[in-house]
């Protein structure tokens, strides 16, 4: 029998133990080194993970700008935000320099009154970043004929058509840009109803170019996907903008004006003696007091906007400015910025046949619904204001955005 000494027992039993400890230590060291190098590699090659921040955690100034600029009054707020930014960075317009600037071209007649939109556009386009002096980089070409200025100099309608046709023919023969698209990447701007007619002497202008006009009734040849509805704005406004004053609006509905269309005749006949609707079939006489007409907007919840002879009126933008929810009472009418703004969020849009049920329709709108319409109306006021120089999101920039949307389908 072999006797094992204690020292031998200790040595033989500790050897496997030491081996196990060594193995575990080696594995731990290798694992640590692997993780360390992987971390270094991740830092070198991978971008940092995005930090998701809730709307209520955004910096105050950014959140405020987003809320004010891109609210649900738009059909697609995110598309509007991204496309608008792209427009600001890329859009270029070439203005033809031809024509005598002291007569009909280049310089508008004035930037006041009910045709101020035409004058402001002519002025703003020259003050803006969108103008380019290089026609080769232009996305669109502006034909700067101002019928409003011609009208102010006493030019007859017949002579206007001759002037426009001669001018356009001269551009076609002198420059190569028209013939690339037959004028599809050209546009003109006019707010005067006579101005719309002035271009009828040049059929290619009506058919091919983008018409930016204040009389966008479908039944006078307006083509919504091609043409642009220019908002008719009576500037300067006589009184400050209304808003956040719903408690002062005690009159249900208001309209005063000339009966120069069928719908206006019916509106006056049916409702002029009503005790809850303030309807007058004539303009308010200035002798009754200072700015009586404008002050009525401040006291009214809903301002009726019936179509005129060519849906040519500043009443809609007056309603928006003074915080009175517009009631659109017209068939076949393309509202300004209709493909951008959701008008049903800040206006009541009716058919002409609804005139007979007008009061009940308005009374069926609850107070909370009215407050929502009014609050949204305040959000869009900036889109119907002209400025000099132009400012972000104002009427000029909204028109440029409409043109930007259209230039994509005709870019050569």
């Amino acid at each position: 029998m072999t006797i094992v000494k204690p020292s031998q027992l200790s040595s033989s039993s500790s050897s496997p133990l030491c081996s196990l400890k060594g193995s575990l230590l080696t594995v731990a060291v290798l694992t640590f080194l692997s993780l360390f190098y992987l971390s270094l590699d991740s830092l070198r090659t991978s971008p940092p993970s995005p930090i998701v921040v809730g709307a209520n955690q955004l910096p105050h100034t950014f959140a405020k700008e987003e809320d004010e600029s891109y609210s649900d009054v738009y059909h697609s707020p995110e598309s509007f935000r991204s496309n608008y930014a792209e427009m600001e960075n890329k859009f270029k317009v070439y203005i033809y320099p031809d024509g005598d600037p002291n007569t009909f071209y280049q310089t508008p007649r004035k930037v006041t009154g009910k045709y101020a939109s035409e004058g402001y556009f002519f002025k703003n386009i020259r003050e803006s970043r969108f103008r380019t002096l290089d026609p080769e980089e232009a996305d669109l070409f502006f034909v700067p004929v101002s019928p409003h200025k011609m009208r102010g100099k006493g030019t007859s309608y017949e002579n206007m058509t001759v002037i426009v046709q001669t001018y356009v023919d001269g551009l076609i023969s002198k420059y190569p840009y028209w013939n690339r698209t037959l004028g599809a990447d050209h546009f003109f701007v006019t707010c005067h109803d006579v101005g719309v007619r002035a271009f009828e002497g040049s059929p290619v202008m009506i058919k091919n170019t983008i018409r930016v006009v204040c009389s966008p009734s479908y039944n006078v040849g307006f083509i919504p996907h091609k043409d642009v509805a220019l908002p008719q704005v009576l500037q300067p406004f006589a009184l400050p903008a209304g808003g956040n004053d719903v408690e002062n609006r005690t009159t249900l509905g208001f309209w005063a004006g000339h009966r120069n269309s069928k719908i206006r005749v019916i509106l006056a006949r049916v409702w002029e003696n009503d005790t809850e609707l303030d309807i007058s079939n004539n303009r308010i006489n200035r002798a009754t007091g200072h700015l009586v007409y404008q002050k009525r907007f401040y006291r009214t919840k809903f301002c009726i906007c019936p179509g005129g002879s060519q849906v040519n009126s500043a009443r809609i933008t007056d309603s928006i400015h003074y915080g009175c929810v517009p009631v659109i009472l017209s068939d076949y009418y393309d509202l300004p910025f209709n493909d951008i703004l959701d008008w049903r969020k800040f206006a009541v849009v009716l058919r002409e046949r609804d005139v007979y049920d007008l009061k009940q329709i308005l009374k069926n709108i609850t107070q909370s619904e009215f407050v929502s319409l009014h609050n949204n109306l305040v959000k869009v006021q900036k889109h119907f204001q002209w400025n000099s120089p132009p400012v972000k999101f104002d009427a000029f920039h909204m028109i440029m955005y409409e043109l930007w949307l259209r230039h994509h389908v005709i870019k050569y």
Side-chain angles (χ1 to χ4, degrees), residues 216-218 222 224 227-229 332-339 406:
S217 177
Y218 294 142
F222 185 83
D227 300 330
V228 175
Y332 314 115
Y333 181 39
D334 197 67
L335 292 161
F337 319 135
N338 195 34
D339 49 353
R406 284 156 177 77

Side-chain angles (χ1 to χ4, degrees), residues 104-105 145-167 190 192-202:
F104 308 125
Y105 318 104
V145 182
S146 178
H148 184 34
K149 184 160 188 174
M150 294 189 214
R151 187 69 169 176
K153 298 179 80 68
T155 308
S156 67
Y157 162 67
E158 290 75 15
N159 286 338
M160 281 189 199
T161 59
V162 174
I163 291 169
V164 170
Q165 184 175 9
T166 301
Y167 179 66
T190 181
H192 203 296
D193 48 358
V194 174
V196 175
R197 296 174 58 203
F199 285 87
E200 292 176 355
S202 180

Side-chain angles (χ1 to χ4, degrees), residues 249 251 254-256 278-280 284 288 291-301 303 324:
R249 299 179 180 277
T251 301
F254 166 63
W255 175 77
D278 182 6
I279 305 296
S280 174
I284 296 176
T288 59
L291 299 177
V292 172
Y293 175 76
Q294 289 82 356
K295 290 175 182 177
R296 296 268 187 98
F297 285 87
Y298 284 135
R299 300 198 303 266
T300 307
K301 297 173 69 173
C303 288
C324 183

Side-chain angles (χ1 to χ4, degrees), residues 129-183:
R129 71 181 73 181
F130 303 112
R131 184 182 185 182
T132 177
L133 300 179
D134 181 5
E136 295 299 332
E137 71 172 11
D139 299 294
L140 290 180
F141 295 80
F142 177 36
V143 181
V145 182
S146 178
H148 184 34
K149 184 160 188 174
M150 294 189 214
R151 187 69 169 176
K153 298 179 80 68
T155 308
S156 67
Y157 162 67
E158 290 75 15
N159 286 338
M160 281 189 199
T161 59
V162 174
I163 291 169
V164 170
Q165 184 175 9
T166 301
Y167 179 66
V168 173
D169 289 346
L171 298 182
I172 294 174
S173 62
K174 181 177 179 180
Y175 297 93
Y177 310 111
W178 176 282
N179 293 322
R180 296 186 306 187
T181 65
L182 294 180

Side-chain angles (χ1 to χ4, degrees), residues 53 85 127 201 220 244 249 271 275 285 310 322 325-326 343 348 355:
V53 181
E127 302 170 324
V220 292
N244 305 315
R249 299 179 180 277
W271 299 111
T275 57
N285 194 323
Q310 286 196 10
Y322 294 116
V325 175
W343 276 77
V348 179
V355 64

Side-chain angles (χ1 to χ4, degrees), residues 58-319:
L58 289 171
H60 175 70
T61 54
F62 180 78
K64 183 178 180 181
E65 180 183 349
E66 290 291 293
D67 290 343
E68 290 181 353
S69 300
Y70 310 114
S71 67
D72 60 358
V73 295
Y74 307 99
H75 291 298
S76 178
E78 181 58 32
S79 294
F80 177 64
R81 183 183 66 82
S82 59
N83 289 333
Y84 188 97
E86 185 180 12
M87 173 200 71
E88 285 191 308
N89 292 328
K90 297 182 179 180
F91 197 24
K92 296 297 179 184
V93 172
Y94 179 73
I95 306 174
Y96 283 109
D98 302 69
D100 183 356
N102 296 317
T103 52
F104 308 125
Y105 318 104
Q106 309 299 331
T107 305
R109 176 185 174 192
K110 59 181 180 178
V111 291
T112 58
K114 63 181 180 178
Y115 303 121
S117 294
E118 181 177 324
Y120 265 104
F121 186 90
F122 273 70
K123 183 175 176 59
N124 285 171
I125 190 67
R126 291 173 175 80
E127 302 170 324
S128 74
R129 71 181 73 181
F130 303 112
R131 184 182 185 182
T132 177
L133 300 179
D134 181 5
E136 295 299 332
E137 71 172 11
D139 299 294
L140 290 180
F141 295 80
F142 177 36
V143 181
V145 182
S146 178
H148 184 34
K149 184 160 188 174
M150 294 189 214
R151 187 69 169 176
K153 298 179 80 68
T155 308
S156 67
Y157 162 67
E158 290 75 15
N159 286 338
M160 281 189 199
T161 59
V162 174
I163 291 169
V164 170
Q165 184 175 9
T166 301
Y167 179 66
V168 173
D169 289 346
L171 298 182
I172 294 174
S173 62
K174 181 177 179 180
Y175 297 93
Y177 310 111
W178 176 282
N179 293 322
R180 296 186 306 187
T181 65
L182 294 180
D185 56 358
H186 287 54
F187 70 93
F188 69 89
V189 176
T190 181
C191 194
H192 203 296
D193 48 358
V194 174
V196 175
R197 296 174 58 203
F199 285 87
E200 292 176 355
S202 180
V204 292
M205 291 288 287
I206 300 297
K207 180 181 179 181
N208 294 355
T209 65
I210 303 169
R211 298 190 301 161
V212 184
V213 295
C214 277
S215 302
S217 177
Y218 294 142
N219 59 2
V220 292
F222 185 83
I223 304 173
H225 67 272
K226 176 178 77 72
D227 300 330
V228 175
L230 180 67
Q232 186 168 0
V233 183
L234 181 61
Q235 282 197 217
F237 290 109
L239 294 170
N244 305 315
D245 53 1
V246 293
E247 66 280 356
N248 299 327
R249 299 179 180 277
T250 56
T251 301
L252 179 63
F254 166 63
W255 175 77
H258 290 318
R259 293 186 291 180
N260 58 357
S261 68
K262 180 180 179 181
I263 184 59
R264 292 186 178 189
V265 170
I266 297 174
L267 175 66
R269 187 181 71 238
V270 175
W271 299 111
E272 63 181 333
N273 296 318
D274 192 86
T275 57
E276 294 179 274
L277 294 177
D278 182 6
I279 305 296
S280 174
N281 63 4
N282 289 295
R283 290 183 178 176
I284 296 176
N285 194 323
R286 293 181 180 179
T288 59
H290 183 58
L291 299 177
V292 172
Y293 175 76
Q294 289 82 356
K295 290 175 182 177
R296 296 268 187 98
F297 285 87
Y298 284 135
R299 300 198 303 266
T300 307
K301 297 173 69 173
F302 301 99
C303 288
I304 319 303
C305 302
S309 57
Q310 286 196 10
V311 201
N312 196 11
S313 170
R315 185 175 284 102
I316 293 177
T317 52
D318 279 345
S319 301

